[in-house]
């Protein structure tokens, strides 16, 4: 089984139609000729990232790590759980929704996978958390028992929905550090082309998905602006970080490492 991996840090086929015309020819002699055609699957440019809710549109989510080849990961989200208040109770923190450097509205966080192999046998998209959330400056401080969860998974593409990879209908709780969790899987010819695996959706989506996004505001009720995208920040309830009541919480920034794995099925 061939695997490609991406490691990032998380913060709190063409159809051809032919038409032939034939005329009756009378001749004393005839000649035979050959006809050839070379059919190849169209291979889309790796740099194109598509709107997960309207995949006919190209979007600019900013720089992202990518893999290459005919089976590849085009885009993975940078998980940012924003700045939150310390509480002595158990808390569930939603992630920041995906923003873009163009006119595209906020979206649910997504991964884009492309499969342009001539003989696609399927693939599996997985994720693994390599370590617990650790304080970026205070050695030894970590969010013990904190769990990232993925919910409201769905897929989208310019391809027919009958070719869609399968995603979990259950919530994926990454409760065991170092374990690998399946996010999506395709078999045979399913999953060919470019697909978005999405968690959550905007209220404007036309895909019959429930809205999971909400405008973030600070304690004074003022809209929070993202310093990179220069746009209002939205939360996405489809991806959350749960921190238990018993966890010792030291003020400051925390981070962890996620490995995204795209495995080629045998």
């Amino acid at each position: 089984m061939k695997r490609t991996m991406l490691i990032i840090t998380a913060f709190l086929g063409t159809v051809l139609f032919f038409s032939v015309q034939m005329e009756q020819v009378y001749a004393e002699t005839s000649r035979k000729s050959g006809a050839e055609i070379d059919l190849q699957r169209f291979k889309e440019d790796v740099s194109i990232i598509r709107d997960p809710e309207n995949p006919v549109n190209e979007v600019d989510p900013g720089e992202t790590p990518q893999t290459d080849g005919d089976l590849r990961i085009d885009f993975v989200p940078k998980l940012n759980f924003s700045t939150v208040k310390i509480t002595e109770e158990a808390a569930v923190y939603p992630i920041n929704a995906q923003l873009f450097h163009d006119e595209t509205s906020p979206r649910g966080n997504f991964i884009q996978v492309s499969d342009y192999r001539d003989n696609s046998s399927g693939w599996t998209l997985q994720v693994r958390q390599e370590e617990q959330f650790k304080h970026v400056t205070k050695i030894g401080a970590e969010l013990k028992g904190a769990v990232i969860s993925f919910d409201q998974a769905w897929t989208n593409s310019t391809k027919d929905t009958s070719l869609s990879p399968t995603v979990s209908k259950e919530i994926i709780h990454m409760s065991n550090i170092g374990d690998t969790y399946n996010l999506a899987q395709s078999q045979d010819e399913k999953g060919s082309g470019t697909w978005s695996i999405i968690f959550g959706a905007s209220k404007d989506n036309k895909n019959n998905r429930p809205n999971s996004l909400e405008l973030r505001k600070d304690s004074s009720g003022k809209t929070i602006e993202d310093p990179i995208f220069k746009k209002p920040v939205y939360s996405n309830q489809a991806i959350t970080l749960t921190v238990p009541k018993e966890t010792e919480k030291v003020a400051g920034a925390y981070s962890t490492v996620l490995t995204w794995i795209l495995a080629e099925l045998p």
Side-chain angles (χ1 to χ4, degrees):
M1 178 185 292
K2 181 180 179 182
R3 296 186 178 188
T4 55
M5 300 185 184
L6 283 176
I7 301 176
I8 69 167
T9 301
F11 289 91
L12 201 96
T14 304
V15 179
L16 302 180
F17 294 89
F18 297 91
S19 176
V20 178
Q21 293 183 340
M22 299 184 65
E23 296 181 358
Q24 190 172 9
V25 178
Y26 296 92
E28 295 183 357
T29 61
S30 63
R31 297 291 185 270
K32 293 182 180 181
S33 65
E36 297 180 355
I37 183 171
D38 182 7
L39 294 180
Q40 295 183 348
R41 193 183 300 276
F42 172 76
K43 303 183 190 307
E44 188 169 89
D45 188 345
V46 68
S47 65
I48 295 178
I49 309 300
R50 300 198 168 274
D51 183 346
E53 293 186 5
N54 301 291
V56 294
N57 298 331
E58 183 178 348
V59 293
D60 180 10
E63 293 184 0
T64 179
Q66 299 174 324
T67 62
D68 53 18
D70 292 341
L71 176 63
R72 61 183 185 261
I73 298 175
D74 297 327
F75 178 80
V76 292
K78 298 176 181 178
L79 305 186
N80 187 338
F81 291 94
S82 196
T83 300
V84 295
K85 288 185 178 180
I86 292 178
T87 174
E88 298 304 319
E89 301 299 320
V92 179
Y93 302 112
I95 199 172
N96 285 350
Q98 181 65 55
L99 297 178
F100 302 90
H101 289 294
D102 48 46
E103 299 304 314
T104 307
S105 301
R107 300 287 189 248
N109 306 85
F110 69 101
I111 305 98
Q112 182 175 299
V113 173
S114 289
D115 183 3
Y116 289 98
R117 295 172 294 170
D118 291 330
N119 296 301
S120 175
S121 58
W123 49 263
T124 299
L125 176 67
Q126 303 169 314
V127 65
R128 182 173 63 239
Q129 186 177 350
E130 303 293 355
E131 60 185 16
Q132 187 51 272
F133 278 85
K134 294 182 178 181
H135 201 287
V136 296
T137 59
K138 186 174 181 179
I139 297 176
E142 63 178 56
L143 298 179
K144 294 182 179 179
V147 175
I148 300 174
S149 298
F150 294 86
D151 192 12
Q152 301 184 42
W154 60 292
T155 64
N156 205 8
S157 175
T158 57
K159 297 282 188 176
D160 190 273
T161 56
S162 63
L163 298 175
S164 173
T166 302
V167 293
S168 174
K169 295 181 180 180
E170 305 296 330
I171 301 176
I172 299 172
H173 299 289
M174 297 178 63
S175 53
N176 295 321
I177 302 298
D179 283 3
T180 301
Y181 295 84
N182 288 350
L183 298 179
Q185 184 173 26
S186 74
Q187 294 182 342
D188 299 327
E189 287 298 320
K190 290 189 175 182
S192 62
T194 295
W195 289 87
S196 291
I197 294 86
I198 315 137
F199 299 92
S202 73
K203 64 180 178 61
D204 299 321
N205 83 88
K206 298 178 176 59
N207 311 94
N208 297 318
R209 303 297 306 182
N211 175 43
S212 65
L213 308 189
E214 183 178 347
L215 185 65
R216 279 197 188 273
K217 297 182 179 181
D218 61 20
S219 57
S220 65
K222 183 180 179 180
T223 299
I224 300 174
E225 182 178 276
D226 186 279
I228 298 176
F229 292 93
K230 308 299 182 182
K231 292 181 177 182
V233 175
Y234 282 72
S235 64
N236 177 16
Q237 296 289 339
I239 301 179
T240 58
L241 176 66
T242 301
V243 181
K245 175 181 179 180
E246 299 78 12
T247 301
E248 181 181 358
K249 307 169 185 73
V250 178
Y254 292 78
S255 67
T256 186
V257 176
L258 297 179
T259 300
W260 304 86
I261 304 166
L262 183 59
E264 177 180 330
L265 297 182

